[in-house]
Amino acid sequence: MSAALKPPVRIRACRCAVSISSRARRFSIMSYRKRFGVAPDSKVDLSKIDASFKDQHETHEDALADIEAQKQRLRDLQYLLYAEGQQSLLIVLQGRDAAGKDGTINHVLGAMNPQGCSVTGFKVPSKEEAAHDFLWRYHQHAPGRGQVAIFNRSHYEDVLVQRVHDMVPRAVWSKRYAHINAFEQMLADHGTRILKFYLHIDSDEQLRRFKQRIDDPARHWKISEGDYAERPFWDAYTSAFEDALSQCSTEHAPWFVIPSNHKWFRNLAISKIVVETLESLKMSFPAPSVEMAEIVSKYHSMAEQAGIADAETSADASLVAKRDAAKHSKKKQKQKKKSKKHGARDH
């Protein structure tokens, strides 16, 4: 086993600890994907989406068991993604100022082993970045196989802030939707699953969060003149977000509009959608790189010499090794087929 990413503790136990049935959980996940997903070629109207929606849970406390169960499942699946090393996941977060992008990252990343993840925040392009095409700086941070990458703001800034503030002509930014779709298709062809979340808050909630930052000295560092400078452009940003959501939600890179006035519901909804997506990858652990029968035999020989061998285990060792060897042989064959499939995509 690679030392880079250790397995989560008590994987089997955590699956039994879920407070809702597997069937109910699956239905809930599916309903979130359908409820919040933006259908390809549809027209988004943010004014018709309730930013305070919280589904069946009235409070954070009511949802806590569900939230914790999803976090543990997320950790299990990320470990499997890393171990398999054949696919990757890109999570894109967009939203207005104070929408909760940092909080979402803390929640999602907190459920994972950081050694299998990366987070990139995109701010004003550097001189070098501005000298290249607008997608150049984003491609460098796309996830490799087995990895999860989170974009805090993303390539969509180039059809949002640059459009709202007339930083480039309409003739330029209007073509970028097609460029973005082609870029995301290329990543998907390489084995990257893409999930894009728009954190939907209303204007009153944004002001409440601005006030929280003023009232709490520990949050003063988050206050920016830019937050207040952007506030008068609310309607312009609404139109820009709606166009981006409408024109760039595809089967391989869907957008989800997540009601985010309640932070705990935002975290729950995103976790469930990420969990279901990872489950849909049908991942499996790779076959061992050693002959398990030989390893088991060596272990028991060493254990007997050390005087800690279990007689019953020793007697069954050969049978267990043969069974595991046969099981992993089948997995190795499937793994080879997967590798050939992904290898063909690269060419």
Side-chain angles (χ1 to χ4, degrees):
M1 179 183 297
S2 170
L5 195 65
K6 295 181 180 179
V9 179
R10 295 196 310 247
I11 293 178
R12 291 182 180 177
C14 77
R15 289 174 181 167
C16 297
V18 179
S19 60
I20 53 178
S21 70
S22 176
R23 181 178 298 178
R25 183 181 68 214
R26 188 173 295 110
F27 175 79
S28 180
I29 292 171
M30 286 300 293
S31 67
Y32 283 172
R33 285 178 62 87
K34 291 179 179 179
R35 183 186 293 270
F36 305 132
V38 176
D41 301 318
S42 64
K43 177 61 178 174
V44 174
D45 184 348
L46 291 175
S47 68
K48 294 181 178 180
I49 301 174
D50 182 9
S52 294
F53 178 81
K54 52 187 177 181
D55 203 12
Q56 60 189 354
H57 301 296
E58 282 300 317
T59 65
H60 184 196
E61 289 69 25
D62 292 339
L64 194 57
D66 199 1
I67 291 171
E68 292 303 313
Q70 294 302 322
K71 286 176 67 176
Q72 183 59 62
R73 183 64 180 139
L74 189 55
R75 181 170 177 81
D76 296 344
L77 289 165
Q78 183 235 349
Y79 173 64
L80 181 54
L81 177 77
Y82 181 89
E84 185 189 55
Q86 294 297 315
Q87 304 173 82
S88 59
L89 175 66
L90 172 60
I91 297 174
V92 172
L93 300 177
Q94 289 287 164
R96 302 175 191 270
D97 296 316
K101 295 178 288 295
D102 291 342
T104 301
I105 291 169
N106 288 336
H107 178 80
V108 174
L109 191 61
M112 298 182 179
N113 189 315
Q115 293 183 91
C117 305
S118 66
V119 178
T120 307
F122 294 99
K123 299 185 182 298
V124 177
S126 67
K127 184 176 180 180
E128 180 184 15
E129 290 170 341
H132 290 78
D133 66 88
F134 81 99
L135 289 170
W136 179 79
R137 65 172 179 157
Y138 305 105
H139 197 180
Q140 298 176 73
H141 299 281
R145 288 173 181 162
Q147 299 290 313
V148 176
I150 302 175
F151 283 3
N152 183 351
R153 300 187 187 273
S154 67
H155 39 297
Y156 285 91
E157 290 297 295
D158 293 86
V159 291
L160 294 170
V161 63
Q162 293 200 9
R163 164 180 165 170
V164 169
H165 292 290
D166 296 320
M167 298 170 70
V168 294
R170 181 186 184 90
V172 174
W173 61 254
S174 63
K175 294 179 181 178
R176 287 179 174 173
Y177 301 112
H179 296 323
I180 288 172
N181 287 337
F183 170 63
E184 292 174 350
Q185 180 68 68
M186 182 268 294
L187 293 180
D189 289 344
H190 188 67
T192 298
R193 286 297 179 101
I194 304 169
L195 298 176
K196 301 174 297 192
F197 298 102
Y198 171 69
L199 309 184
H200 182 42
I201 61 172
D202 58 36
S203 59
D204 290 343
E205 178 62 22
Q206 186 188 60
L207 279 181
R208 279 192 289 271
R209 294 184 184 184
F210 283 175
K211 185 177 186 302
Q212 287 176 345
R213 292 178 178 181
I214 293 173
D215 293 342
D216 183 0
R219 300 186 187 189
H220 284 180
W221 66 274
K222 288 188 173 184
I223 298 174
S224 167
E225 287 284 354
D227 295 344
Y228 294 87
E230 295 288 5
R231 175 84 178 177
F233 297 94
W234 184 277
D235 291 341
Y237 272 108
T238 296
S239 297
F241 275 120
E242 288 176 341
D243 283 349
L245 295 168
S246 300
Q247 296 195 44
C248 296
S249 191
T250 59
E251 293 294 339
H252 58 271
W255 269 110
F256 298 91
V257 179
I258 305 297
S260 299
N261 277 2
H262 299 288
K263 299 176 182 179
W264 59 266
F265 180 77
R266 171 202 70 204
N267 294 340
L268 176 61
I270 290 176
S271 293
K272 285 190 172 187
I273 292 171
V274 174
V275 163
E276 192 212 357
T277 299
L278 289 174
E279 288 178 335
S280 73
L281 300 184
K282 301 187 184 302
M283 300 175 289
S284 61
F285 288 107
S289 59
V290 297
E291 291 296 332
M292 288 302 297
E294 293 182 11
I295 294 299
V296 171
S297 177
K298 288 179 180 179
Y299 163 75
H300 285 290
S301 176
M302 293 177 182
E304 287 174 0
Q305 292 177 15
I308 59 172
D310 179 79
E312 182 178 349
T313 303
S314 296
D316 293 339
S318 179
L319 179 61
V320 171
K322 289 180 180 179
R323 181 192 63 196
D324 288 348
K327 180 173 66 175
H328 287 301
S329 177
K330 291 181 180 179
K331 284 188 176 181
K332 186 176 286 187
Q333 292 176 1
K334 290 182 179 179
Q335 197 69 32
K336 286 182 178 179
K337 290 181 180 180
K338 270 188 177 180
S339 296
K340 287 181 180 179
K341 182 178 178 181
H342 286 290
R345 284 178 176 175
D346 293 342
H347 297 290

